[in-house]
Amino acid sequence: MKNKLRELRVAKEWSQSDLAGKLNVSRQTVNAIEIEKYDPSLPLAFKVARLFKSKIEDIFELDPD
Amino acid sequence: MLYTDLLMNNQPPIPDELIMFDKQFSWRTAWKVGRWWFAAMMISYLCDLQFGEVVKQWPLGGRVMIVLTEFSTILLFVLDAKRWIHSMDELQRRLTLAIFLFAVSATFIFFMLWLGLNRAGFFNAVFGPPPDGTWGISSVAHACLLFGGFYGLGFLIFKRCYK
């Protein structure tokens, strides 16, 4: 799954640790989501969307294949 | 209960905190999670290996008590580990459960393989008779040591999936 988490985080001038703290996850988890090695669960995706005041589908996009 | 120094930054624990040579290693977390594992290993090392011959002379009640103590401490370790894993975030929990499953399975398979080879006389044939009379490994200390080693190996394998 593709995502815009890094762009959104950088736009807010947050570090990965800052974002991890806001989402109550580890910095490694934020990194794994950003490099698209891990797809977050639905509750975490909702948390991310709520934090950035966006819709889930504006941040996460399903791979066409 | 606080399980990690990282929690002071409002971040949940990670499996790296138990890996001694990792930069995220935390003595505090390692002690909180592994203290009963260490206790079981030390009791078993002293009673089964170091002073095994002395303990064999003890009355049955004393020997049974040692075995029960070893397994009680293992149980306490499992409870501490469960609490630690429960306080993780979803990715780290998934990762740590995979590492634990790997470590437990690998320890079990190693034991089975070793016992099978020993029963078949493999070690005696290849390495000759052992100095202490048996090539068998059956103590909790061996199991704890193997589990610790396989945890490290599992960490290296599974961590790479998310880097």
Side-chain angles (χ1 to χ4, degrees), chain A residues 17 20-21 24-29 32 35 37-38 40-41 44, chain B residues 9-12 14 24 89-92 94 159-163:
Chain A
S17 293
N24 201 24
V25 297
S26 63
R27 188 198 57 75
Q28 288 81 351
T29 298
I35 61 175
K37 288 261 182 171
Y38 174 65
S41 67
L44 183 55
Chain B
N9 300 329
N10 197 27
Q11 289 192 22
I14 52 176
Q24 306 280 349
D89 68 40
E90 56 186 49
L91 172 60
Q92 305 303 328
R94 178 196 285 196
K159 190 73 182 174
R160 286 171 58 193
C161 302
Y162 298 103
K163 273 194 170 172

Short mmCIF file of all heavy atoms in Angstrom, two decimals, chain A residues 17 20-21 24-29 32 35 37-38 40-41 44, chain B residues 9-12 14 24 89-92 94 159-163:
data_model
loop_
_atom_site.label_atom_id
_atom_site.label_comp_id
_atom_site.label_asym_id
_atom_site.label_seq_id
_atom_site.Cartn_x
_atom_site.Cartn_y
_atom_site.Cartn_z
N SER A 17 9.97 10.67 15.55
CA SER A 17 9.69 10.48 16.98
C SER A 17 8.49 11.31 17.43
O SER A 17 7.67 10.86 18.24
CB SER A 17 10.90 10.86 17.83
OG SER A 17 11.94 9.97 17.59
N ALA A 20 5.49 9.58 16.13
CA ALA A 20 5.28 8.34 16.90
C ALA A 20 4.64 8.66 18.25
O ALA A 20 3.72 7.95 18.68
CB ALA A 20 6.62 7.63 17.10
N GLY A 21 5.12 9.72 18.88
CA GLY A 21 4.55 10.12 20.18
C GLY A 21 3.08 10.48 20.06
O GLY A 21 2.27 10.12 20.91
N ASN A 24 1.16 7.32 19.53
CA ASN A 24 1.40 6.32 20.58
C ASN A 24 1.91 5.00 20.00
O ASN A 24 1.49 3.91 20.40
CB ASN A 24 0.13 6.09 21.41
CG ASN A 24 0.46 5.49 22.76
OD1 ASN A 24 1.58 5.66 23.25
ND2 ASN A 24 -0.49 4.79 23.34
N VAL A 25 2.81 5.12 19.04
CA VAL A 25 3.50 3.94 18.49
C VAL A 25 5.01 4.22 18.56
O VAL A 25 5.42 5.33 18.90
CB VAL A 25 3.10 3.65 17.02
CG1 VAL A 25 1.63 3.31 16.91
CG2 VAL A 25 3.45 4.81 16.10
N SER A 26 5.81 3.21 18.23
CA SER A 26 7.26 3.40 18.28
C SER A 26 7.73 4.13 17.01
O SER A 26 7.05 4.10 15.98
CB SER A 26 7.96 2.05 18.40
OG SER A 26 7.69 1.27 17.26
N ARG A 27 8.91 4.75 17.10
CA ARG A 27 9.46 5.46 15.94
C ARG A 27 9.70 4.47 14.79
O ARG A 27 9.51 4.79 13.62
CB ARG A 27 10.79 6.13 16.33
CG ARG A 27 11.35 7.05 15.27
CD ARG A 27 12.81 7.33 15.50
NE ARG A 27 13.63 6.13 15.54
CZ ARG A 27 13.98 5.42 14.47
NH1 ARG A 27 13.59 5.78 13.26
NH2 ARG A 27 14.72 4.34 14.60
N GLN A 28 10.08 3.24 15.15
CA GLN A 28 10.35 2.21 14.14
C GLN A 28 9.08 1.89 13.34
O GLN A 28 9.16 1.60 12.15
CB GLN A 28 10.87 0.94 14.80
CG GLN A 28 12.29 1.05 15.34
CD GLN A 28 12.39 1.73 16.70
OE1 GLN A 28 11.41 2.29 17.20
NE2 GLN A 28 13.55 1.70 17.29
N THR A 29 7.95 1.95 14.00
CA THR A 29 6.68 1.67 13.31
C THR A 29 6.36 2.78 12.31
O THR A 29 5.95 2.51 11.18
CB THR A 29 5.54 1.49 14.34
OG1 THR A 29 5.87 0.38 15.17
CG2 THR A 29 4.21 1.25 13.67
N ALA A 32 8.61 2.21 9.40
CA ALA A 32 8.18 1.07 8.57
C ALA A 32 6.97 1.43 7.71
O ALA A 32 6.86 0.98 6.57
CB ALA A 32 7.85 -0.13 9.47
N ILE A 35 8.26 3.86 4.81
CA ILE A 35 8.98 3.20 3.71
C ILE A 35 8.16 2.08 3.09
O ILE A 35 8.66 1.31 2.27
CB ILE A 35 10.37 2.69 4.15
CG1 ILE A 35 10.24 1.63 5.27
CG2 ILE A 35 11.27 3.83 4.59
CD1 ILE A 35 11.57 1.00 5.66
N LYS A 37 6.93 -0.66 4.25
CA LYS A 37 7.24 -2.06 4.59
C LYS A 37 6.13 -2.64 5.46
O LYS A 37 6.09 -3.84 5.71
CB LYS A 37 8.56 -2.14 5.36
CG LYS A 37 9.78 -1.88 4.51
CD LYS A 37 10.42 -3.19 4.10
CE LYS A 37 11.67 -2.94 3.29
NZ LYS A 37 12.42 -4.16 3.05
N TYR A 38 5.30 -1.78 5.97
CA TYR A 38 4.23 -2.24 6.87
C TYR A 38 2.96 -1.44 6.61
O TYR A 38 2.99 -0.21 6.55
CB TYR A 38 4.67 -2.06 8.33
CG TYR A 38 3.60 -2.38 9.33
CD1 TYR A 38 3.11 -3.68 9.46
CD2 TYR A 38 3.06 -1.39 10.14
CE1 TYR A 38 2.11 -3.97 10.37
CE2 TYR A 38 2.06 -1.69 11.06
CZ TYR A 38 1.59 -2.97 11.16
OH TYR A 38 0.60 -3.27 12.06
N PRO A 40 -0.47 -0.24 8.14
CA PRO A 40 -1.05 -0.14 9.48
C PRO A 40 -2.44 -0.77 9.55
O PRO A 40 -3.11 -0.95 8.53
CB PRO A 40 -1.14 1.38 9.69
CG PRO A 40 -1.23 1.95 8.33
CD PRO A 40 -0.42 1.05 7.44
N SER A 41 -2.84 -1.10 10.77
CA SER A 41 -4.19 -1.63 10.98
C SER A 41 -5.19 -0.50 10.71
O SER A 41 -4.82 0.69 10.66
CB SER A 41 -4.33 -2.12 12.42
OG SER A 41 -4.27 -1.01 13.29
N LEU A 44 -5.19 2.24 13.42
CA LEU A 44 -4.03 3.13 13.33
C LEU A 44 -4.17 4.06 12.12
O LEU A 44 -3.83 5.25 12.19
CB LEU A 44 -2.73 2.32 13.27
CG LEU A 44 -1.43 3.13 13.24
CD1 LEU A 44 -1.34 4.09 14.41
CD2 LEU A 44 -0.21 2.21 13.24
N ASN B 9 9.26 8.91 26.59
CA ASN B 9 8.95 9.75 25.43
C ASN B 9 7.59 9.38 24.87
O ASN B 9 7.32 9.63 23.70
CB ASN B 9 10.02 9.56 24.34
CG ASN B 9 11.38 9.94 24.84
OD1 ASN B 9 11.52 10.80 25.68
ND2 ASN B 9 12.39 9.25 24.33
N ASN B 10 6.78 8.71 25.66
CA ASN B 10 5.45 8.30 25.25
C ASN B 10 5.49 7.32 24.09
O ASN B 10 4.61 7.33 23.23
CB ASN B 10 4.60 9.53 24.88
CG ASN B 10 3.14 9.22 24.85
OD1 ASN B 10 2.70 8.30 25.55
ND2 ASN B 10 2.37 9.96 24.05
N GLN B 11 6.52 6.50 24.01
CA GLN B 11 6.60 5.51 22.94
C GLN B 11 6.64 4.12 23.54
O GLN B 11 7.32 3.89 24.54
CB GLN B 11 7.84 5.76 22.10
CG GLN B 11 7.71 7.01 21.25
CD GLN B 11 8.79 7.11 20.20
OE1 GLN B 11 9.39 6.13 19.82
NE2 GLN B 11 9.03 8.32 19.74
N PRO B 12 5.89 3.19 22.93
CA PRO B 12 5.83 1.83 23.47
C PRO B 12 7.15 1.08 23.27
O PRO B 12 7.98 1.50 22.47
CB PRO B 12 4.71 1.20 22.66
CG PRO B 12 4.57 2.01 21.44
CD PRO B 12 5.06 3.37 21.73
N ILE B 14 10.04 -1.83 22.30
CA ILE B 14 10.40 -2.52 21.06
C ILE B 14 11.27 -3.73 21.40
O ILE B 14 11.93 -3.73 22.44
CB ILE B 14 11.16 -1.57 20.09
CG1 ILE B 14 12.34 -0.90 20.81
CG2 ILE B 14 10.23 -0.51 19.53
CD1 ILE B 14 13.19 -0.03 19.90
N GLN B 24 19.59 0.18 21.02
CA GLN B 24 18.36 0.42 21.77
C GLN B 24 18.30 -0.40 23.06
O GLN B 24 17.31 -0.34 23.78
CB GLN B 24 17.14 0.06 20.92
CG GLN B 24 17.06 0.73 19.58
CD GLN B 24 16.54 2.14 19.67
OE1 GLN B 24 16.04 2.56 20.71
NE2 GLN B 24 16.67 2.90 18.61
N ASP B 89 3.26 -1.55 20.47
CA ASP B 89 2.32 -1.16 19.40
C ASP B 89 2.14 -2.35 18.45
O ASP B 89 2.79 -3.39 18.60
CB ASP B 89 2.80 0.10 18.67
CG ASP B 89 4.06 -0.12 17.86
OD1 ASP B 89 4.19 -1.17 17.23
OD2 ASP B 89 4.92 0.77 17.84
N GLU B 90 1.24 -2.21 17.48
CA GLU B 90 0.83 -3.36 16.67
C GLU B 90 1.97 -4.00 15.87
O GLU B 90 2.08 -5.23 15.81
CB GLU B 90 -0.30 -2.96 15.73
CG GLU B 90 0.04 -1.76 14.84
CD GLU B 90 -1.15 -1.30 14.03
OE1 GLU B 90 -2.22 -1.11 14.61
OE2 GLU B 90 -0.98 -1.12 12.81
N LEU B 91 2.85 -3.19 15.31
CA LEU B 91 3.94 -3.76 14.50
C LEU B 91 4.96 -4.47 15.39
O LEU B 91 5.36 -5.60 15.10
CB LEU B 91 4.64 -2.65 13.70
CG LEU B 91 5.92 -3.08 12.97
CD1 LEU B 91 5.65 -4.19 11.97
CD2 LEU B 91 6.56 -1.90 12.26
N GLN B 92 5.35 -3.81 16.49
CA GLN B 92 6.36 -4.40 17.37
C GLN B 92 5.81 -5.66 18.04
O GLN B 92 6.55 -6.62 18.29
CB GLN B 92 6.81 -3.38 18.42
CG GLN B 92 7.32 -2.08 17.84
CD GLN B 92 8.48 -2.26 16.87
OE1 GLN B 92 9.28 -3.18 17.02
NE2 GLN B 92 8.56 -1.41 15.87
N ARG B 94 3.60 -7.73 16.71
CA ARG B 94 3.62 -8.76 15.68
C ARG B 94 5.04 -9.32 15.51
O ARG B 94 5.25 -10.53 15.44
CB ARG B 94 3.13 -8.16 14.35
CG ARG B 94 3.16 -9.14 13.21
CD ARG B 94 3.06 -8.45 11.89
NE ARG B 94 1.73 -7.97 11.60
CZ ARG B 94 1.33 -7.62 10.40
NH1 ARG B 94 2.16 -7.68 9.38
NH2 ARG B 94 0.12 -7.19 10.19
N LYS B 159 13.56 -8.75 11.99
CA LYS B 159 13.69 -7.29 11.99
C LYS B 159 13.98 -6.78 10.57
O LYS B 159 13.57 -5.68 10.20
CB LYS B 159 14.83 -6.90 12.94
CG LYS B 159 14.95 -5.44 13.24
CD LYS B 159 13.85 -4.95 14.16
CE LYS B 159 13.96 -3.48 14.40
NZ LYS B 159 12.83 -2.98 15.17
N ARG B 160 14.68 -7.60 9.80
CA ARG B 160 15.05 -7.18 8.44
C ARG B 160 13.82 -6.96 7.55
O ARG B 160 13.89 -6.22 6.58
CB ARG B 160 15.96 -8.25 7.80
CG ARG B 160 17.36 -8.21 8.37
CD ARG B 160 18.16 -9.39 7.91
NE ARG B 160 18.27 -9.47 6.46
CZ ARG B 160 18.71 -10.53 5.82
NH1 ARG B 160 19.10 -11.59 6.48
NH2 ARG B 160 18.80 -10.53 4.51
N CYS B 161 12.72 -7.64 7.90
CA CYS B 161 11.50 -7.50 7.08
C CYS B 161 10.96 -6.07 7.10
O CYS B 161 10.25 -5.66 6.20
CB CYS B 161 10.40 -8.41 7.59
SG CYS B 161 10.86 -10.14 7.62
N TYR B 162 11.28 -5.33 8.17
CA TYR B 162 10.68 -4.00 8.32
C TYR B 162 11.71 -2.88 8.24
O TYR B 162 11.45 -1.75 8.63
CB TYR B 162 9.92 -3.92 9.65
CG TYR B 162 8.79 -4.92 9.70
CD1 TYR B 162 8.92 -6.08 10.44
CD2 TYR B 162 7.63 -4.71 8.98
CE1 TYR B 162 7.90 -7.02 10.47
CE2 TYR B 162 6.61 -5.63 9.00
CZ TYR B 162 6.75 -6.78 9.75
OH TYR B 162 5.74 -7.70 9.77
N LYS B 163 12.93 -3.21 7.77
CA LYS B 163 13.97 -2.17 7.68
C LYS B 163 14.14 -1.72 6.25
O LYS B 163 14.02 -2.52 5.34
CB LYS B 163 15.29 -2.70 8.24
CG LYS B 163 15.37 -2.48 9.74
CD LYS B 163 16.77 -2.68 10.25
CE LYS B 163 16.85 -2.24 11.69
NZ LYS B 163 18.13 -2.56 12.32
#
